[in-house]
Amino acid sequence: MKQKFYDTAVKQEKAVLVGVVTPNVTDDQQKEFLEELQFLVETAGGETVKWFTQKLQRPERATFVGTGKLEEIKEYVTSEEIDMVVFDDELSPSQLRNIERELGVKILDRNNLILDIFAGRAQTAQAKSQVELAQLQYLLPRLTRLWTHLERQKGGIGMRGPGESQIETDRRLILNKISLLKDKLKLIDRQNETQRKNRSQMVRVALVGYTNVGKSTIMNMISKSEVFAENKLFATLDTTVRKVVIENVPFLLSDTVGFIRKLPHHLVECFKSTLDEVREADILVHVVDVSHPNFEDQIRTVNETLKELGAIDKQMITVFNKIDAYQPIQVHAEDEAHQLTLEEFKNSWMANNNSPAIFISALHKENIDEFRKLLYDHIVAIHSVRYPYDHLLY
């Protein structure tokens, strides 16, 4: 008898992306948002086949996009056998239900996609609990679409129901689970606080920045340790802390989770304990991918998140990474377009901003000695104030 063989490889899911261009968003910005969403889909293991965009004053309340656009998406999804449709904004429970009913395939919004990536990246008990908590908080208001086939039994004499419908049972179970996870995270947080107290004598430096700007590469280079680094969003999820010595001064260097535009509120809340490393650091090293066409927007996003964490006023060093891949910026002055070279950008940044900045390439080890020297000077300044009689070090 002829033996049959079956392909057990996991099939890459095909996705289409949907975005709405509102009056306060330019076409270029929407293109960048969808490029980032496409990168998120790739990070999650999917393949983006097509984008759909629509210009609206505001997203439609019932279906996010107009009925004509939804019909166009449905035709494409059916003809091309698409597995999922991903929307570049958070969908309300009713929008999710209406779109799913209309398209008949898996529907994800930006938040759900980010939560899925976080779930795949989480390694430690703390990160796993934080992600699970965020997922349950996201799921709770969307339970109705999961149990629409279960209705409460009719009331009246002799027709009383079992006391609780399936949806109420699930809601209670989820609320209990959320409560248990919060208690578990409080315990982990207390343990982390004790660890941080034991490390409080040393100067603490935290690497912060947008996701995928090279923080882990810099961490590996400075601390000579092997922290996971990959060209994917959210490669680092768990905060890594290493003891580093430059010259003869020891300090603690921590690598933190990258920030992103429209980061789900549940995630910011759940990861606040992880980001205590940022709040309690003496120096923040803000890493920027200078080769990214919209790095200034990324700087703004990071600053807004730092403000939300109450860490915006800390001593900060700005590190412009990936200078080897820098593309000249197009600037317009007096109706004339001009390509801003890296040298010109350096001078303009230094003139307009007070915070110290350094331009490096972590990958090609360019200007690394200058970066170490700048970091060393800042650490020594704090160390000498904290330990004025410690003359043995320098």
Side-chain angles (χ1 to χ4, degrees), residues 288-292 295 320-323 326-327 342 345 359:
V288 178
D289 175 3
V290 77
S291 69
H292 195 281
F295 67 85
F320 288 97
N321 189 23
K322 307 188 186 182
I323 57 169
Y326 175 80
Q327 298 292 324
L342 182 61
F345 173 69
F359 290 76

Side-chain angles (χ1 to χ4, degrees), residues 97 101 143-155 159-169:
R97 188 166 60 247
R101 192 189 298 129
L143 268 182
T144 46
R145 76 188 182 99
L146 300 176
W147 294 106
T148 46
H149 62 287
L150 291 167
E151 301 292 341
R152 181 183 284 282
Q153 287 187 16
K154 239 184 239 178
M159 296 293 288
R160 299 198 187 278
E164 191 170 50
S165 70
Q166 182 65 52
I167 188 170
E168 286 168 330
T169 307

